[in-house]
Amino acid sequence: MESGKKISVIVPCFNEEEGLATFNQTLIQFIPKSYAYEIIYINDGSKDNTFQVILSLAQDNPNIRYISFSRNFGHQNALKAGYDFATGDCAISLDADLQHPPAVIPELIRKWEEGFEIVNTIRNDHQSISYAKKMSSGLFYKLMKSLSDVNIENGMADFRLIDKKVLKQLKLFPENFLFFRGIIPWMGFKQTTVTFVANERFAGTTKYTFRKMLKFASTGLTAFSVKPLRISIYLGSVIAVLSFSYGLYAVYTHLFTDRAVTGWTSMIISVLFIGGINLLMLGIIGEYLGKLFIENKRRPNYLISETNIKV
Ligand code: UDP
Ligand code: MG
């Protein structure tokens, strides 16, 4: 039975040639037949044959759309492109490596049919995820929770469903440093959460290198919180008070005792300490300033080199 509604599925792909055809097959199998659908593959500057695989999939299936970037713009920007061009009554985003199991899609859709406008998912950590990844993501979410005012839960994934109402609002977000896991909970609307167990990566290797993860974490923190700046003020004040007291003590020692000659050790320690803290604070300010600088240019989030979507 056709419901007359359409589902958009958004899939960012970066060097996913090995697993993509299988992914596509599995995905289609789990889209309820009562809905029309479109799948938007975003080729995020892959260096392998991912784009050729997408082209051949699109040739066989008129519901497949593609957007190919001029270079690698990163996962979040690829998601943004998907959200920008999605035309469905709701949009579901998921990874191309089958770690976000398409088998969960019917459940997301059921929640949407019940009236939820955003259906988030949380990864239920599993052996398939490396210990290092579990630790680093656990630490990140803890930091994020204590530093920012948005409620981001541990293991929140970029696997979610959003209604077209939310999609319409999301298209209005002009920011360059995107962090959807923060933006989406911040948006409000009727939200709910579904948990899933992540599979092992079906093919290929992780595209989130340590560097990309650090960049992502820094974006998440600085895009959602000015608390690090405030912390530098607090820390700065405490240290200023301590230094001042120590200064008074030094003056006292000099004037009223005869112990004033030594002191090289304490001198060097305090100089190094104050210097270190100073650099740290400057670094925090620099991070925000740098982001402001780039954001201020208003450059597009991505450049498209090829697409079969008519704009
Ligand atoms: N991805 C992307 N651009 C990038 C890095 C990753 O589009 O620069 C895609 C990738 O193809 C996958 C998803 O983002 O569909 C998540 O990446 P991955 O599975 O490598 O990350 P992990 O699951 O290891 O965190
Ligand atoms: Mg993955």
Side-chain angles (χ1 to χ4, degrees), residues 11-16 20 23 42-46 50 69 72-79 94-100 123 129 133 158 181 199 201 203-209 212-213:
V11 191
C13 308
F14 176 55
N15 296 347
E16 300 283 4
L20 206 57
F23 168 82
I42 300 98
N43 174 34
D44 185 14
S46 297
T50 300
F69 286 174
N72 180 259
F73 281 91
H75 181 206
Q76 299 290 301
N77 287 319
L79 275 175
L94 78 169
D95 287 359
D97 56 4
L98 290 173
Q99 283 197 296
H100 297 160
R123 189 184 67 206
I129 289 160
K133 182 123 194 168
D158 279 314
R181 285 171 220 185
N199 291 322
R201 202 173 216 292
T205 53
T206 177
K207 307 303 179 296
Y208 262 101
T209 54
K212 272 191 183 167
M213 274 204 301

mmCIF file of all heavy atoms in Angstrom, residues 11-16 20 23 42-46 50 69 72-79 94-100 123 129 133 158 181 199 201 203-209 212-213, ligand 1:
data_model
loop_
_atom_site.group_PDB
_atom_site.id
_atom_site.type_symbol
_atom_site.label_atom_id
_atom_site.label_comp_id
_atom_site.label_asym_id
_atom_site.label_seq_id
_atom_site.Cartn_x
_atom_site.Cartn_y
_atom_site.Cartn_z
ATOM 1 N N VAL A 11 23.517 9.287 2.576
ATOM 2 C CA VAL A 11 24.671 8.440 2.862
ATOM 3 C C VAL A 11 25.985 9.101 2.432
ATOM 4 O O VAL A 11 26.291 9.156 1.248
ATOM 5 C CB VAL A 11 24.543 7.076 2.131
ATOM 6 C CG1 VAL A 11 25.591 6.103 2.637
ATOM 7 C CG2 VAL A 11 23.159 6.493 2.266
ATOM 8 N N PRO A 12 26.764 9.618 3.394
ATOM 9 C CA PRO A 12 28.074 10.159 3.050
ATOM 10 C C PRO A 12 29.058 9.024 2.772
ATOM 11 O O PRO A 12 29.078 8.043 3.503
ATOM 12 C CB PRO A 12 28.523 10.908 4.317
ATOM 13 C CG PRO A 12 27.341 10.917 5.226
ATOM 14 C CD PRO A 12 26.473 9.775 4.825
ATOM 15 N N CYS A 13 29.841 9.160 1.710
ATOM 16 C CA CYS A 13 30.779 8.092 1.362
ATOM 17 C C CYS A 13 32.162 8.653 1.098
ATOM 18 O O CYS A 13 32.324 9.556 0.288
ATOM 19 C CB CYS A 13 30.363 7.382 0.082
ATOM 20 S SG CYS A 13 28.689 6.813 0.082
ATOM 21 N N PHE A 14 33.128 8.095 1.764
ATOM 22 C CA PHE A 14 34.519 8.470 1.514
ATOM 23 C C PHE A 14 35.323 7.183 1.416
ATOM 24 O O PHE A 14 35.467 6.473 2.407
ATOM 25 C CB PHE A 14 35.017 9.376 2.643
ATOM 26 C CG PHE A 14 36.459 9.755 2.535
ATOM 27 C CD1 PHE A 14 36.944 10.363 1.387
ATOM 28 C CD2 PHE A 14 37.330 9.522 3.583
ATOM 29 C CE1 PHE A 14 38.275 10.725 1.280
ATOM 30 C CE2 PHE A 14 38.664 9.878 3.490
ATOM 31 C CZ PHE A 14 39.135 10.477 2.338
ATOM 32 N N ASN A 15 35.795 6.870 0.225
ATOM 33 C CA ASN A 15 36.548 5.638 -0.028
ATOM 34 C C ASN A 15 35.803 4.392 0.458
ATOM 35 O O ASN A 15 36.296 3.648 1.293
ATOM 36 C CB ASN A 15 37.937 5.695 0.645
ATOM 37 C CG ASN A 15 38.800 6.801 0.064
ATOM 38 O OD1 ASN A 15 38.467 7.363 -0.979
ATOM 39 N ND2 ASN A 15 39.887 7.110 0.731
ATOM 40 N N GLU A 16 34.623 4.187 -0.068
ATOM 41 C CA GLU A 16 33.804 3.051 0.372
ATOM 42 C C GLU A 16 33.540 2.063 -0.763
ATOM 43 O O GLU A 16 32.547 1.356 -0.747
ATOM 44 C CB GLU A 16 32.461 3.546 0.936
ATOM 45 C CG GLU A 16 32.550 4.486 2.129
ATOM 46 C CD GLU A 16 32.872 3.779 3.442
ATOM 47 O OE1 GLU A 16 33.108 2.559 3.433
ATOM 48 O OE2 GLU A 16 32.910 4.471 4.477
ATOM 49 N N LEU A 20 30.090 -0.709 -0.847
ATOM 50 C CA LEU A 20 28.932 0.117 -1.177
ATOM 51 C C LEU A 20 27.778 -0.622 -1.867
ATOM 52 O O LEU A 20 26.612 -0.397 -1.547
ATOM 53 C CB LEU A 20 29.361 1.325 -2.018
ATOM 54 C CG LEU A 20 28.445 2.525 -1.905
ATOM 55 C CD1 LEU A 20 28.316 2.983 -0.463
ATOM 56 C CD2 LEU A 20 28.929 3.668 -2.771
ATOM 57 N N PHE A 23 25.999 -2.574 0.677
ATOM 58 C CA PHE A 23 25.275 -1.631 1.518
ATOM 59 C C PHE A 23 23.972 -1.229 0.852
ATOM 60 O O PHE A 23 22.898 -1.262 1.456
ATOM 61 C CB PHE A 23 26.128 -0.380 1.784
ATOM 62 C CG PHE A 23 25.353 0.745 2.405
ATOM 63 C CD1 PHE A 23 25.126 0.769 3.774
ATOM 64 C CD2 PHE A 23 24.820 1.757 1.623
ATOM 65 C CE1 PHE A 23 24.370 1.779 4.347
ATOM 66 C CE2 PHE A 23 24.061 2.768 2.189
ATOM 67 C CZ PHE A 23 23.847 2.784 3.553
ATOM 68 N N ILE A 42 26.525 10.870 -1.128
ATOM 69 C CA ILE A 42 27.423 12.007 -1.252
ATOM 70 C C ILE A 42 28.841 11.474 -1.322
ATOM 71 O O ILE A 42 29.349 10.904 -0.364
ATOM 72 C CB ILE A 42 27.280 12.992 -0.063
ATOM 73 C CG1 ILE A 42 25.863 13.531 0.006
ATOM 74 C CG2 ILE A 42 28.260 14.150 -0.215
ATOM 75 C CD1 ILE A 42 24.981 12.842 0.978
ATOM 76 N N ASN A 43 29.462 11.646 -2.462
ATOM 77 C CA ASN A 43 30.848 11.208 -2.615
ATOM 78 C C ASN A 43 31.755 12.336 -2.139
ATOM 79 O O ASN A 43 31.914 13.346 -2.808
ATOM 80 C CB ASN A 43 31.112 10.855 -4.082
ATOM 81 C CG ASN A 43 32.571 10.539 -4.322
ATOM 82 O OD1 ASN A 43 33.241 9.978 -3.448
ATOM 83 N ND2 ASN A 43 33.072 10.919 -5.471
ATOM 84 N N ASP A 44 32.348 12.122 -0.970
ATOM 85 C CA ASP A 44 33.125 13.174 -0.319
ATOM 86 C C ASP A 44 34.592 13.127 -0.758
ATOM 87 O O ASP A 44 35.478 12.865 0.037
ATOM 88 C CB ASP A 44 32.996 12.994 1.204
ATOM 89 C CG ASP A 44 33.667 14.111 1.983
ATOM 90 O OD1 ASP A 44 33.988 15.148 1.381
ATOM 91 O OD2 ASP A 44 33.862 13.942 3.200
ATOM 92 N N GLY A 45 34.797 13.344 -2.051
ATOM 93 C CA GLY A 45 36.162 13.384 -2.572
ATOM 94 C C GLY A 45 36.924 12.075 -2.423
ATOM 95 O O GLY A 45 38.112 12.079 -2.102
ATOM 96 N N SER A 46 36.258 10.963 -2.681
ATOM 97 C CA SER A 46 36.927 9.659 -2.542
ATOM 98 C C SER A 46 38.087 9.534 -3.510
ATOM 99 O O SER A 46 38.028 10.045 -4.627
ATOM 100 C CB SER A 46 35.942 8.529 -2.822
ATOM 101 O OG SER A 46 34.909 8.550 -1.885
ATOM 102 N N THR A 50 34.819 4.759 -5.532
ATOM 103 C CA THR A 50 33.499 4.944 -4.932
ATOM 104 C C THR A 50 32.521 5.616 -5.897
ATOM 105 O O THR A 50 31.376 5.182 -6.037
ATOM 106 C CB THR A 50 33.627 5.799 -3.652
ATOM 107 O OG1 THR A 50 34.486 5.127 -2.752
ATOM 108 C CG2 THR A 50 32.274 6.003 -2.992
ATOM 109 N N PHE A 69 31.540 15.720 -4.467
ATOM 110 C CA PHE A 69 32.271 16.935 -4.091
ATOM 111 C C PHE A 69 33.552 17.088 -4.909
ATOM 112 O O PHE A 69 34.094 16.104 -5.409
ATOM 113 C CB PHE A 69 32.666 16.885 -2.602
ATOM 114 C CG PHE A 69 31.527 17.109 -1.651
ATOM 115 C CD1 PHE A 69 31.723 16.962 -0.277
ATOM 116 C CD2 PHE A 69 30.263 17.494 -2.098
ATOM 117 C CE1 PHE A 69 30.695 17.167 0.622
ATOM 118 C CE2 PHE A 69 29.222 17.701 -1.201
ATOM 119 C CZ PHE A 69 29.433 17.540 0.166
ATOM 120 N N ASN A 72 37.636 16.326 -0.624
ATOM 121 C CA ASN A 72 37.129 15.860 0.658
ATOM 122 C C ASN A 72 36.787 17.046 1.562
ATOM 123 O O ASN A 72 37.649 17.845 1.894
ATOM 124 C CB ASN A 72 38.187 14.964 1.325
ATOM 125 C CG ASN A 72 37.719 14.440 2.664
ATOM 126 O OD1 ASN A 72 38.107 14.939 3.705
ATOM 127 N ND2 ASN A 72 36.857 13.440 2.654
ATOM 128 N N PHE A 73 35.493 17.178 1.881
ATOM 129 C CA PHE A 73 35.070 18.274 2.762
ATOM 130 C C PHE A 73 34.695 17.776 4.158
ATOM 131 O O PHE A 73 34.288 18.551 5.005
ATOM 132 C CB PHE A 73 33.881 19.029 2.163
ATOM 133 C CG PHE A 73 34.261 20.007 1.080
ATOM 134 C CD1 PHE A 73 34.282 19.612 -0.245
ATOM 135 C CD2 PHE A 73 34.604 21.309 1.391
ATOM 136 C CE1 PHE A 73 34.642 20.495 -1.253
ATOM 137 C CE2 PHE A 73 34.966 22.205 0.396
ATOM 138 C CZ PHE A 73 34.985 21.805 -0.920
ATOM 139 N N GLY A 74 34.765 16.487 4.364
ATOM 140 C CA GLY A 74 34.478 15.932 5.687
ATOM 141 C C GLY A 74 33.048 15.441 5.838
ATOM 142 O O GLY A 74 32.125 15.899 5.157
ATOM 143 N N HIS A 75 32.894 14.518 6.751
ATOM 144 C CA HIS A 75 31.637 13.830 7.005
ATOM 145 C C HIS A 75 30.461 14.775 7.270
ATOM 146 O O HIS A 75 29.380 14.638 6.687
ATOM 147 C CB HIS A 75 31.886 12.902 8.211
ATOM 148 C CG HIS A 75 30.718 12.089 8.621
ATOM 149 N ND1 HIS A 75 30.585 11.636 9.901
ATOM 150 C CD2 HIS A 75 29.639 11.662 7.960
ATOM 151 C CE1 HIS A 75 29.456 10.946 9.986
ATOM 152 N NE2 HIS A 75 28.878 10.947 8.828
ATOM 153 N N GLN A 76 30.677 15.780 8.155
ATOM 154 C CA GLN A 76 29.572 16.664 8.538
ATOM 155 C C GLN A 76 29.089 17.506 7.352
ATOM 156 O O GLN A 76 27.893 17.743 7.193
ATOM 157 C CB GLN A 76 29.976 17.577 9.705
ATOM 158 C CG GLN A 76 30.359 16.819 10.965
ATOM 159 C CD GLN A 76 29.180 16.132 11.646
ATOM 160 O OE1 GLN A 76 28.211 16.765 12.035
ATOM 161 N NE2 GLN A 76 29.247 14.824 11.778
ATOM 162 N N ASN A 77 30.032 17.937 6.519
ATOM 163 C CA ASN A 77 29.639 18.709 5.342
ATOM 164 C C ASN A 77 28.921 17.844 4.317
ATOM 165 O O ASN A 77 28.021 18.308 3.614
ATOM 166 C CB ASN A 77 30.853 19.391 4.715
ATOM 167 C CG ASN A 77 31.334 20.552 5.566
ATOM 168 O OD1 ASN A 77 30.531 21.313 6.099
ATOM 169 N ND2 ASN A 77 32.633 20.657 5.721
ATOM 170 N N ALA A 78 29.336 16.573 4.239
ATOM 171 C CA ALA A 78 28.638 15.655 3.342
ATOM 172 C C ALA A 78 27.197 15.468 3.819
ATOM 173 O O ALA A 78 26.247 15.481 3.022
ATOM 174 C CB ALA A 78 29.369 14.314 3.294
ATOM 175 N N LEU A 79 27.032 15.351 5.133
ATOM 176 C CA LEU A 79 25.676 15.244 5.686
ATOM 177 C C LEU A 79 24.871 16.491 5.344
ATOM 178 O O LEU A 79 23.702 16.412 4.964
ATOM 179 C CB LEU A 79 25.740 15.126 7.213
ATOM 180 C CG LEU A 79 25.945 13.746 7.804
ATOM 181 C CD1 LEU A 79 26.102 13.845 9.307
ATOM 182 C CD2 LEU A 79 24.752 12.857 7.463
ATOM 183 N N LEU A 94 22.692 7.838 7.473
ATOM 184 C CA LEU A 94 23.465 6.732 8.061
ATOM 185 C C LEU A 94 24.786 6.534 7.335
ATOM 186 O O LEU A 94 24.960 7.015 6.213
ATOM 187 C CB LEU A 94 22.658 5.429 8.112
ATOM 188 C CG LEU A 94 22.448 4.561 6.888
ATOM 189 C CD1 LEU A 94 21.856 3.230 7.291
ATOM 190 C CD2 LEU A 94 21.532 5.220 5.888
ATOM 191 N N ASP A 95 25.712 5.839 8.014
ATOM 192 C CA ASP A 95 27.026 5.578 7.430
ATOM 193 C C ASP A 95 26.943 4.492 6.375
ATOM 194 O O ASP A 95 26.063 3.632 6.414
ATOM 195 C CB ASP A 95 28.017 5.114 8.517
ATOM 196 C CG ASP A 95 28.434 6.242 9.432
ATOM 197 O OD1 ASP A 95 27.976 7.386 9.207
ATOM 198 O OD2 ASP A 95 29.211 5.982 10.372
ATOM 199 N N ALA A 96 27.933 4.525 5.479
ATOM 200 C CA ALA A 96 27.927 3.603 4.346
ATOM 201 C C ALA A 96 28.568 2.254 4.659
ATOM 202 O O ALA A 96 28.686 1.406 3.792
ATOM 203 C CB ALA A 96 28.649 4.243 3.170
ATOM 204 N N ASP A 97 29.020 2.053 5.896
ATOM 205 C CA ASP A 97 29.801 0.852 6.181
ATOM 206 C C ASP A 97 29.016 -0.236 6.915
ATOM 207 O O ASP A 97 29.593 -1.179 7.432
ATOM 208 C CB ASP A 97 31.048 1.222 6.993
ATOM 209 C CG ASP A 97 30.683 1.962 8.272
ATOM 210 O OD1 ASP A 97 29.481 2.102 8.545
ATOM 211 O OD2 ASP A 97 31.605 2.396 8.989
ATOM 212 N N LEU A 98 27.687 -0.064 6.980
ATOM 213 C CA LEU A 98 26.798 -1.017 7.652
ATOM 214 C C LEU A 98 27.019 -1.066 9.169
ATOM 215 O O LEU A 98 26.522 -1.965 9.837
ATOM 216 C CB LEU A 98 26.921 -2.431 7.058
ATOM 217 C CG LEU A 98 26.345 -2.591 5.642
ATOM 218 C CD1 LEU A 98 26.669 -3.963 5.087
ATOM 219 C CD2 LEU A 98 24.844 -2.358 5.624
ATOM 220 N N GLN A 99 27.767 -0.082 9.715
ATOM 221 C CA GLN A 99 27.880 -0.013 11.176
ATOM 222 C C GLN A 99 26.590 0.529 11.784
ATOM 223 O O GLN A 99 26.271 0.250 12.929
ATOM 224 C CB GLN A 99 29.070 0.863 11.580
ATOM 225 C CG GLN A 99 30.386 0.143 11.412
ATOM 226 C CD GLN A 99 31.503 0.825 12.170
ATOM 227 O OE1 GLN A 99 31.848 1.958 11.853
ATOM 228 N NE2 GLN A 99 32.058 0.141 13.144
ATOM 229 N N HIS A 100 25.909 1.350 11.016
ATOM 230 C CA HIS A 100 24.559 1.776 11.405
ATOM 231 C C HIS A 100 23.609 0.828 10.691
ATOM 232 O O HIS A 100 23.344 0.997 9.504
ATOM 233 C CB HIS A 100 24.287 3.222 10.945
ATOM 234 C CG HIS A 100 25.187 4.225 11.592
ATOM 235 N ND1 HIS A 100 25.389 5.473 11.057
ATOM 236 C CD2 HIS A 100 25.922 4.163 12.726
ATOM 237 C CE1 HIS A 100 26.219 6.155 11.849
ATOM 238 N NE2 HIS A 100 26.559 5.373 12.865
ATOM 239 N N ARG A 123 24.432 4.586 20.096
ATOM 240 C CA ARG A 123 25.167 3.347 19.886
ATOM 241 C C ARG A 123 25.370 2.636 21.209
ATOM 242 O O ARG A 123 25.877 3.201 22.153
ATOM 243 C CB ARG A 123 26.525 3.690 19.267
ATOM 244 C CG ARG A 123 27.315 2.499 18.805
ATOM 245 C CD ARG A 123 28.659 2.972 18.301
ATOM 246 N NE ARG A 123 29.440 3.490 19.408
ATOM 247 C CZ ARG A 123 30.399 4.400 19.287
ATOM 248 N NH1 ARG A 123 30.663 4.913 18.118
ATOM 249 N NH2 ARG A 123 31.072 4.804 20.337
ATOM 250 N N ILE A 129 33.455 -2.386 18.568
ATOM 251 C CA ILE A 129 34.107 -1.085 18.590
ATOM 252 C C ILE A 129 35.369 -1.173 19.436
ATOM 253 O O ILE A 129 35.347 -1.724 20.528
ATOM 254 C CB ILE A 129 33.128 -0.031 19.115
ATOM 255 C CG1 ILE A 129 32.072 0.183 18.038
ATOM 256 C CG2 ILE A 129 33.826 1.268 19.421
ATOM 257 C CD1 ILE A 129 30.844 0.775 18.522
ATOM 258 N N LYS A 133 38.521 3.512 20.791
ATOM 259 C CA LYS A 133 37.405 4.335 20.303
ATOM 260 C C LYS A 133 36.378 4.544 21.417
ATOM 261 O O LYS A 133 35.856 5.640 21.605
ATOM 262 C CB LYS A 133 36.756 3.635 19.103
ATOM 263 C CG LYS A 133 35.620 4.426 18.508
ATOM 264 C CD LYS A 133 35.854 4.713 17.058
ATOM 265 C CE LYS A 133 34.896 5.784 16.598
ATOM 266 N NZ LYS A 133 35.247 6.304 15.297
ATOM 267 N N ASP A 158 25.469 9.803 14.146
ATOM 268 C CA ASP A 158 24.868 10.564 13.050
ATOM 269 C C ASP A 158 23.920 9.671 12.248
ATOM 270 O O ASP A 158 23.861 9.738 11.032
ATOM 271 C CB ASP A 158 25.951 11.165 12.150
ATOM 272 C CG ASP A 158 26.520 12.449 12.740
ATOM 273 O OD1 ASP A 158 25.717 13.281 13.170
ATOM 274 O OD2 ASP A 158 27.750 12.603 12.773
ATOM 275 N N ARG A 181 25.463 16.524 15.866
ATOM 276 C CA ARG A 181 25.083 15.868 17.116
ATOM 277 C C ARG A 181 24.767 16.877 18.201
ATOM 278 O O ARG A 181 24.108 16.561 19.178
ATOM 279 C CB ARG A 181 26.208 14.953 17.590
ATOM 280 C CG ARG A 181 26.267 13.700 16.776
ATOM 281 C CD ARG A 181 27.504 12.920 17.094
ATOM 282 N NE ARG A 181 28.038 12.380 15.857
ATOM 283 C CZ ARG A 181 29.067 11.564 15.797
ATOM 284 N NH1 ARG A 181 29.693 11.214 16.907
ATOM 285 N NH2 ARG A 181 29.477 11.107 14.657
ATOM 286 N N ASN A 199 27.383 -2.733 14.222
ATOM 287 C CA ASN A 199 28.048 -3.893 13.639
ATOM 288 C C ASN A 199 29.518 -3.602 13.460
ATOM 289 O O ASN A 199 29.961 -2.472 13.561
ATOM 290 C CB ASN A 199 27.467 -4.182 12.252
ATOM 291 C CG ASN A 199 26.059 -4.685 12.332
ATOM 292 O OD1 ASN A 199 25.725 -5.448 13.239
ATOM 293 N ND2 ASN A 199 25.226 -4.255 11.411
ATOM 294 N N ARG A 201 32.582 -2.966 11.015
ATOM 295 C CA ARG A 201 32.653 -2.346 9.702
ATOM 296 C C ARG A 201 32.622 -3.443 8.649
ATOM 297 O O ARG A 201 33.373 -4.416 8.744
ATOM 298 C CB ARG A 201 33.955 -1.555 9.595
ATOM 299 C CG ARG A 201 33.903 -0.496 8.560
ATOM 300 C CD ARG A 201 35.154 0.358 8.617
ATOM 301 N NE ARG A 201 34.837 1.757 8.329
ATOM 302 C CZ ARG A 201 34.447 2.179 7.145
ATOM 303 N NH1 ARG A 201 34.325 1.339 6.144
ATOM 304 N NH2 ARG A 201 34.151 3.447 6.956
ATOM 305 N N ALA A 203 33.309 -3.417 5.295
ATOM 306 C CA ALA A 203 34.463 -3.468 4.399
ATOM 307 C C ALA A 203 35.263 -2.197 4.555
ATOM 308 O O ALA A 203 34.762 -1.196 5.027
ATOM 309 C CB ALA A 203 34.000 -3.617 2.947
ATOM 310 N N GLY A 204 36.519 -2.260 4.154
ATOM 311 C CA GLY A 204 37.365 -1.071 4.237
ATOM 312 C C GLY A 204 37.741 -0.757 5.679
ATOM 313 O O GLY A 204 37.471 -1.527 6.590
ATOM 314 N N THR A 205 38.372 0.397 5.867
ATOM 315 C CA THR A 205 38.799 0.780 7.215
ATOM 316 C C THR A 205 38.162 2.103 7.606
ATOM 317 O O THR A 205 37.564 2.763 6.762
ATOM 318 C CB THR A 205 40.327 0.959 7.277
ATOM 319 O OG1 THR A 205 40.687 1.872 6.238
ATOM 320 C CG2 THR A 205 41.041 -0.360 7.095
ATOM 321 N N THR A 206 38.310 2.461 8.881
ATOM 322 C CA THR A 206 37.688 3.698 9.345
ATOM 323 C C THR A 206 38.282 4.901 8.612
ATOM 324 O O THR A 206 39.475 4.944 8.320
ATOM 325 C CB THR A 206 37.846 3.883 10.864
ATOM 326 O OG1 THR A 206 37.288 5.136 11.221
ATOM 327 C CG2 THR A 206 39.298 3.827 11.298
ATOM 328 N N LYS A 207 37.420 5.870 8.322
ATOM 329 C CA LYS A 207 37.873 7.065 7.609
ATOM 330 C C LYS A 207 38.100 8.201 8.590
ATOM 331 O O LYS A 207 38.483 9.289 8.227
ATOM 332 C CB LYS A 207 36.840 7.483 6.556
ATOM 333 C CG LYS A 207 36.425 6.378 5.602
ATOM 334 C CD LYS A 207 37.634 5.802 4.873
ATOM 335 C CE LYS A 207 37.291 4.663 3.925
ATOM 336 N NZ LYS A 207 36.769 3.480 4.550
ATOM 337 N N TYR A 208 37.780 7.914 9.868
ATOM 338 C CA TYR A 208 38.033 8.923 10.890
ATOM 339 C C TYR A 208 39.409 8.679 11.477
ATOM 340 O O TYR A 208 39.575 7.912 12.408
ATOM 341 C CB TYR A 208 36.957 8.882 11.982
ATOM 342 C CG TYR A 208 35.897 9.913 11.764
ATOM 343 C CD1 TYR A 208 34.671 9.580 11.219
ATOM 344 C CD2 TYR A 208 36.132 11.247 12.087
ATOM 345 C CE1 TYR A 208 33.701 10.542 10.991
ATOM 346 C CE2 TYR A 208 35.172 12.213 11.868
ATOM 347 C CZ TYR A 208 33.960 11.852 11.329
ATOM 348 O OH TYR A 208 33.015 12.806 11.110
ATOM 349 N N THR A 209 40.390 9.355 10.926
ATOM 350 C CA THR A 209 41.730 9.231 11.455
ATOM 351 C C THR A 209 41.777 9.961 12.782
ATOM 352 O O THR A 209 40.865 10.712 13.126
ATOM 353 C CB THR A 209 42.739 9.890 10.506
ATOM 354 O OG1 THR A 209 42.296 11.226 10.289
ATOM 355 C CG2 THR A 209 42.790 9.155 9.187
ATOM 356 N N LYS A 212 41.350 13.620 12.278
ATOM 357 C CA LYS A 212 39.970 14.033 11.988
ATOM 358 C C LYS A 212 39.127 14.021 13.251
ATOM 359 O O LYS A 212 38.258 14.857 13.442
ATOM 360 C CB LYS A 212 39.345 13.108 10.938
ATOM 361 C CG LYS A 212 39.616 13.561 9.526
ATOM 362 C CD LYS A 212 38.782 12.786 8.516
ATOM 363 C CE LYS A 212 39.139 13.236 7.110
ATOM 364 N NZ LYS A 212 38.625 12.360 6.069
ATOM 365 N N MET A 213 39.407 13.036 14.144
ATOM 366 C CA MET A 213 38.637 12.943 15.383
ATOM 367 C C MET A 213 38.931 14.127 16.297
ATOM 368 O O MET A 213 38.023 14.696 16.904
ATOM 369 C CB MET A 213 38.910 11.625 16.096
ATOM 370 C CG MET A 213 38.018 10.545 15.572
ATOM 371 S SD MET A 213 37.706 9.175 16.667
ATOM 372 C CE MET A 213 39.278 8.518 17.017
HETATM 373 N N1 UDP B 1 33.057 9.906 5.753
HETATM 374 C C1 UDP B 1 32.972 10.990 4.865
HETATM 375 N N2 UDP B 1 34.009 11.884 4.829
HETATM 376 C C2 UDP B 1 35.121 11.780 5.621
HETATM 377 C C3 UDP B 1 35.181 10.697 6.546
HETATM 378 C C4 UDP B 1 34.128 9.793 6.594
HETATM 379 O O1 UDP B 1 32.000 11.131 4.140
HETATM 380 O O2 UDP B 1 36.021 12.625 5.517
HETATM 381 C C5 UDP B 1 31.941 8.933 5.817
HETATM 382 C C6 UDP B 1 32.334 7.468 5.682
HETATM 383 O O3 UDP B 1 32.355 7.050 4.326
HETATM 384 C C7 UDP B 1 31.233 6.771 6.467
HETATM 385 C C8 UDP B 1 30.906 7.774 7.558
HETATM 386 O O4 UDP B 1 31.363 9.042 7.089
HETATM 387 O O5 UDP B 1 30.068 6.546 5.682
HETATM 388 C C9 UDP B 1 31.547 7.439 8.882
HETATM 389 O O6 UDP B 1 32.930 7.211 8.716
HETATM 390 P P1 UDP B 1 33.660 5.936 9.341
HETATM 391 O O7 UDP B 1 32.772 4.741 9.278
HETATM 392 O O8 UDP B 1 34.986 5.815 8.674
HETATM 393 O O9 UDP B 1 33.849 6.428 10.839
HETATM 394 P P2 UDP B 1 33.745 5.536 12.179
HETATM 395 O O10 UDP B 1 32.500 4.687 12.052
HETATM 396 O O11 UDP B 1 34.988 4.730 12.212
HETATM 397 O O12 UDP B 1 33.651 6.550 13.256
#
